[in-house]
Amino acid sequence: MINFLKTRWFDIGAVMAFVILKGVLLNASRMGSVQSLLWLAFAALLLFQAEKYHWPGSYPEWLNKISNKGAAVRTPLSAQSDFVINVLVEWTTFIVAAILAEDAIWLGIGVMIFCFGSLVKHCFYYNFKAKSRYNPGMLTSIVCFLPVSVFFFVEIIREGKADVTDYLVGLLLGILFTLITSVAVINWIKSRHFRSFMPRRL
């Protein structure tokens, strides 16, 4: 069971995404707009990860081509680091933000900054660097992350649910979260010569 979770977490996440969507639709009035949008952001994250790792997948292989300029077939990401980054770090952060909602609006802002950062990274940075028109994760970042994050900020600004400190802390947290999951962890793994695995297409 543990091995299945570590190797097929993105499939489990895809199923969870539709369960969350149904839950939000049935309980939106009780949860309120902010909490509903944060749960939708988590569902968006799960679909985003499914696009990267399952359909069409090949994100580790694609990232390897960029980071090594196509010179190597091994990837800086290991199966274990994939699980740690995406499940233990990202899932936990999104779930906590959704549970706390307005009680920790700064965390919600940080999560949405991460969503917007993923949009910028996949729609512009990756395509520019690889001279491509598509990369795994780009479609869901546009279809899912963009509307959720826009509606979230429209809502908290309209309702005055956050103050200047919340925005500053959220912005810094979102940038830090993006760096940790996108740059720092990968470099940490590479620097310690973690065992790599051959890119997989699922």
Side-chain angles (χ1 to χ4, degrees):
M1 181 62 184
I2 297 299
N3 288 335
F4 179 80
L5 178 61
K6 286 185 176 181
T7 57
R8 308 295 297 188
W9 54 267
F10 38 84
D11 290 330
I12 296 172
V15 175
M16 287 171 55
F18 291 100
V19 173
I20 292 169
L21 290 172
K22 181 179 180 180
V24 171
L25 288 175
L26 294 175
N27 299 283
S29 59
R30 180 178 62 82
M31 291 189 297
S33 56
V34 170
Q35 189 169 48
S36 295
L37 286 166
L38 286 167
W39 279 116
L40 288 177
F42 181 43
L45 173 73
L46 298 175
L47 295 175
F48 172 69
Q49 293 172 340
E51 181 188 359
K52 290 167 63 177
Y53 290 92
H54 188 141
W55 189 83
S58 298
Y59 176 72
E61 180 180 7
W62 193 89
L63 182 62
N64 178 68
K65 291 179 181 179
I66 291 181
S67 61
N68 294 307
K69 299 181 179 179
V73 295
R74 294 167 69 86
T75 172
L77 293 174
S78 69
Q80 182 173 353
S81 66
D82 277 339
F83 179 79
V84 170
I85 296 168
N86 291 280
V87 177
L88 299 186
V89 177
E90 294 183 2
W91 287 20
T92 300
T93 304
F94 274 68
I95 290 172
V96 171
I99 292 174
L100 296 178
E102 295 180 29
D103 291 334
I105 195 67
W106 51 269
L107 183 57
I109 292 172
V111 161
M112 293 302 177
I113 293 296
F114 170 83
C115 293
F116 186 76
S118 296
L119 171 73
V120 173
K121 181 172 60 178
H122 282 270
C123 291
F124 301 101
Y125 176 73
Y126 281 169
N127 283 337
F128 174 78
K129 193 166 184 179
K131 295 181 174 59
S132 64
R133 295 183 178 180
Y134 171 81
N135 61 83
M138 186 178 118
L139 180 60
T140 44
S141 67
I142 296 173
V143 175
C144 300
F145 279 158
L146 180 59
V148 169
S149 58
V150 168
F151 280 122
F152 176 84
F153 283 111
V154 168
E155 180 64 19
I156 65 172
I157 291 172
R158 182 173 65 86
E159 297 292 334
K161 295 181 180 293
D163 57 27
V164 175
T165 301
D166 291 321
Y167 285 111
L168 289 177
V169 172
L171 176 61
L172 292 175
L173 182 63
I175 293 173
L176 180 62
F177 189 29
T178 301
L179 290 176
I180 289 175
T181 56
S182 301
V183 180
V185 173
I186 293 175
N187 288 336
W188 178 77
I189 291 167
K190 292 170 68 176
S191 68
R192 282 157 177 74
H193 307 291
F194 270 56
R195 181 181 178 182
S196 298
F197 73 102
M198 293 298 291
R200 60 182 182 275
R201 180 180 293 274
L202 299 173

